Each structure stands twice: as structure tokens, then as C-alpha cells.
Amino acid sequence: MNNPLLKPYNTVPFSKIENAHFLPAISQLIEKTRDEIDAITSNTEKPTFKNTVEALENTGEQLDRATSIFFNLNSAETNDEIQKIAQEVSPMLTEFSNDMLLNEKLFERIKTVYKQRDSLNLTEEQHMLLDKKYKAFSRNGANLSEEKKTKLRKIDAELSKLKLTFGENVLAETNKFELHITDEKDLSGLPEGVIEATAQTADEKGKDGWVFTLDYPSYVPFMTYADNRELRKKMAIAFGAKGFHNDELDNQQNVLQIATLRHKRANLLGYESHAHFVLEERMAETPEKVKSFLNELLEKAKPAAQKEFDELTQFAKELDGIDRLEKWDGAYYSEKLKQKLFNLDDEKLKPYFELKNVINGVFTVAEKLYGLHFEEVHNIDKYHPDVKTYEVKDDEGELVAIFYADFHPRPGKRNGAWMTSYKPQRKIEVQIDPNQVGNSNGKIPASAGIKNDRPHISIVCNFTKPTASKPSLLTFNEVTTLFHEFGHALHGMLANTHYPSLSGTSVYWDFVELPSQILENWCYEKETLELFATHYKTGEVIPMEYVEKIKDSATFLEGMATLRQLSFGMLDMAWHGSDPSGIKDVKAFEVAAFDDTQLYPDVKENCMSTSFSHIFQGGYSAGYYSYKWAEVLDADAFALFKQEGIFNKKVADRFKGFVLSQGGTMDPMELYIKFRGQKPDPEALLKRAGLL
Ligand SMILES: [Zn+2]
């Protein structure tokens, strides 16, 4: 069969791959992987780390590559055909992975090795791999009796249905509401672009005037700029009341049931609560630690937040005679105050951030810190002509990674920015063929029998496109986005582990944003900006006054923003940290959970939980805290760079040695302490945020 996905390849042969290749290749590779697993379970030898755990790690290599190509394309360069194939491929892969996790023979072998783990002389990385493989099964109920397994499957089925209904209700509620404006006066304060877009929305709906919806691109500008306070109130109440109307789209019972079933599921598996279950595989470890983490930040941030709130109230009073600041006033007066204090808009900054220069800037930062050299190459196949390809080499000229960068929006690319990979890093044992030694290039593999297979990493963004008269000029927000994604990419490119499932960004979830967020810090430093922030026409370096303003405006009303994030984290832990069976009234429960964190008066028509999709539909349950957690890590880690010099080689070597290259080979707290010499201290974040 002439299917390029079934043949060996190094970089992805994009130009040879047709959409029609995916389905047959993936289904054939699933079968191949099933055979590989059968070979493990039918092995007549006693289970060992090598013949079971490592063997399992080595299954499905080709399948993983084919699926990563497919799903990466579905995000970056999709079309109806690919989306249709995805509808078929996704359930196939789910079924395959379920079958594997329910494979009792396989689990028995892994369990046998797991029980002997302390007497096997395993390296720390091998311990992590064994633990990860074992827990994938045990956390899915592999150790339960048949009766309890049946119960667990029933709970899982109910949960997935409830989560789906929860999400459908939120979506239906979002789509149900519209604010139809026919009097131009009511548009006062709104930017021209927003007015145009909402006129178009109205047009599409066959209406006159302007239509605002609860979708973010419509809702957020309205709340930020619309002068009409009554209409802001109307929008805010509609936004906050999703799933809370005591009608067929109401989510109160769904929330209660989801929390209850999650708790039961955790108990069944032997955990005290859903949060205990989730946090077992997190750096934060336990609900108690998360709660004390949130409380410590709250104690420090609250006075600053209260002060900011009082100032904002005062400002609103002076400007418009507002007596009591309400939730629908927050964004509006914050924006007005920001304009007054900083008067710094994107248009002033953009000429200093030509994309070409920013890319060179981020490459220079990587060179100064980690000795990486990026060379654009044109002999690597790509999925779209806009994609750029680079060879990344170290100081000795050895290949570190292949790097793909895809910068501009186009139809078929989803919104946002992300990092992904086409091939993981791994170390492979190679059989040395005596006939090959001394072959044409005369090279004998350096480390006997181990090949370090380097990764292929990609970042995908949606930055402003160049035009005939202007190059691509980035907003400052886009600059930090590029540094952020490039930070993830460095985590992937510098990976240096044995096993692909512990390599690069395959780390605990509350640790994965450290490499990305830390790199953003360099964007605020004069030393970095001088490297690349030069005017695209005059070559003039960005004025210091702008740099100062960028820094100051970054912490504007940070206390209030912190309090808000903490309140969400606390609500999440309230729902998932203990037995929810006593909760009768969702709104009353929520008001109590918010007790310490609210600055604005409560709005009785509103309920956050009934549309809190992050934790009731998406994957953030018992995980919302991780936004702040990652900020604490990156601020504390960067503080060491600040102290020793932001391009200090020794600090950079430690960060590379203990964080960027290590993936998930060790407990992240251990890795962090090795790098930093101490546990993360929240003080650095509080200082950076101006809250101390
Ligand atoms: Zn990220």
C-alpha cells in the first residue's frame, strides 16, 4: 500500500500525505499497536520492567505520530473533509485506549512489576514511568471488584452525559440572549470596530441596528466601553444568570449531581474527595495544600484589592456621580482609569514590534540563555507555504530539534496560539551492526548503543498579517504570546529523557506553564527589549518611557484581578474538596464560598456555578488554582534570574538542567528545588504584582 503514514519517515512528509491516507493508516496502526500489546501479554516469561513497562512504552510509536499529524492539522489547517475524518478517528482512538486500560492481563503484569518496584534497582525516571503506567490503570478502576467496576462505569457514563448537558445548557443560554440596539445613542463609548461587527451580527439575523450577544468578542467590549449603565447592567445580569433561570436550561441540579458523582467515584477508588483524586497527580499534592496556598495569597492580596476598589469607586463617583460600584461598572471604570493614568495604546507600541525582529529577539534570548542557534531551512516539507522551518543546533553544531513556526491566521486555523509536537524526543537503544561500524561516513555512535532521537516542535499563532505597505507589526500582547509559546517550545526542544511519555511538556499539569510563563518576564526587561524592539522604519530603540509604562500598566488593578482568580479557585475547591451531599442550595453555597473574596455587592439574579464550564464541563475541576500556582512558580524562578542577571549563564544552565530538559522524570517539586535551592515562595509574585 502506498500510504506515506505507514512507511518510515523522519520529518513529516506533508506533501505526500493526502486526507484519504489518514483513516486507513490510523485504523491499521491501531491494529498494529494491538498486536504489539498482545505480544507483551502473551509473553511466557515473568513480567519485568523491561519486557512489560518499557515494552508498553515502546508500543504505538507510528500510531502516535500519525495521530499527532492528524490532530495538529485539524487545528492548524483544517477543512470539512478533515473534520469529517476526525468524527470517525476520535471514537476509534477512544475505544482503543479504553480497551487497553481494561486489559486485565496487561494490568496484572504491570501490577506484578509495580509490587516489586523497590527491589528492582530502577532509576528515578524508570520509577516515574512505572508509577505513571500503573496509575493510568488503577485510577481507572483496574483494582476494583467486578461489582465496583460496574458501578464505576455507570458513574462515568452518567458523568459524561451530565457534563454534556451542562455544556449544552450554557451554550443554549448564551445563544438565547441578545441585546438589540436601534438607537445610535446607546452605542456611545464603543469603538468603531465593535460597532461595525455588531451591525453585521444584526444584519445576519435579519435585523436593523446592532446586536450584542453574550459571546466574549461582543460582551467584553460592551462591558468595557459602553457608556449606557442601564444596558451594561442588563448585559451583565444576563451573562451571570446562565443556567440559573429555574427552567429547562437550568444547571443547578446538574451541578449538584456532577459534584456528588465525582465524590462517589473518588470514594469508590479509595480517595477522600474528588480533589484528593485529582491532586494525587499534581505538584500541589493535596486539597489542604491548595487551600492554604490560596488563603496565603488572599491574606496578602486583599488589602491591596480593597484599596484599588476604593480608588475605583472614588474615580467613578468623581466622573459620573456613581454612589455604589456594581459588577457592571468594574470593567468600564477600570478602562477609563487606565486611559487616564497611562495613555498607552497599541498603536504607539506596534511600530517597535515588527514580527521579524521579535522572532530574532526570541531566538537571541534562547541563544544567550541556552546556546541554541536557529537556522531557517527550506528543504523540510511543510503543510502550508506560510510555515517556517528551522534547524536548531547547539554550540557544538549538534542538532537539538526541528522547529516549525506558523504565525498568521487563515481560514482553517483555529483561534489562539499553541505549541505542539510532531515527534517526541526519546533515547533509543540501537543494536550495533558490526558490518555498519566503519561504514561510509566512518562514524561510530558516540554513546554505545543509545541514540538520542531529537524532537520536532511547532508553534502556531494568529498574529497580524503583513500588508503590501506594512510588515507584520505585533501588539505587546502578541509579543508576550510569542514568548509564552516559545517557552513551551523550549521545554519540548531541550528535552533529554529516555521515555517519550515523560519527555518535554509531559509533566504534571500545574507545572507545565512554568517554562512558558517564565519566558514572558524577559519581554518587560530593558536589556531584552534593546535586543529587538526597534522602530521598523527608523531603527530607533523603543523609548524607556514606554518600557516603564508597559511595566506599570501590567500591574494595574492587579489586586482586584488576583482576588477574582482566587475566588474562582476557592469556589472550585469548595465544590470538589469535600463531601457535597449536604449542599441543598447552589446559590447559598456559592455565596458562602465567595464570602472572603467579594468586593462588589452580590447580584441575586446571578450564579457563577451554573455556567462555570471550566470546572463542570472542561478539565479544570480541582485545578483552577493552577493559574495562580504557575504564576507563583514563574515569578519565584525569574527572581533568581533577576538577582543574578537575566542572561546569567549559570542560572540558565540550572534551569535547563533541572527543568527544561527533565520533563516528567522526577517529581516537579524535587526538580524545582534542585533548580532554585528552595521551595517556591509566593513573595516574588506579590512583589511583581505590586501587592506588597
Ligand atoms: Zn501555555
Side-chain angles (χ1 to χ4, degrees), residues 484-485 488 513 516:
H484 180 104
E485 297 312 327
H488 283 307
E513 294 298 332
S516 52

Side-chain angles (χ1 to χ4, degrees), residues 135-154:
K135 291 225 174 87
F137 288 85
S138 68
R139 288 166 63 84
N140 194 42
N143 277 318
L144 298 181
S145 67
E146 277 315 310
E147 190 202 335
K148 285 185 172 171
K149 267 185 195 160
T150 313
K151 252 190 191 165
L152 190 78
R153 300 292 158 241
K154 226 184 115 205

Side-chain angles (χ1 to χ4, degrees), residues 611-626:
S611 65
F612 199 173
S613 302
H614 265 75
I615 65 165
F616 288 113
Q617 186 196 358
Y620 274 77
S621 61
Y624 203 90
Y625 76 91
S626 57

Side-chain angles (χ1 to χ4, degrees), residues 417-419 481 484-485 487-488 512-517 520:
W418 61 95
M419 166 267 187
T481 300
H484 180 104
E485 297 312 327
H488 283 307
V512 75
E513 294 298 332
L514 168 61
S516 52
Q517 287 183 187
E520 291 181 41

Side-chain angles (χ1 to χ4, degrees), residues 14-15 376-378 380-385 387-389 404:
F14 287 110
S15 62
E376 189 171 0
V377 290
H378 301 281
I380 291 177
D381 233 349
K382 35 195 174 190
Y383 56 88
H384 190 279
V387 177
K388 292 180 183 299
T389 49
Y404 297 81

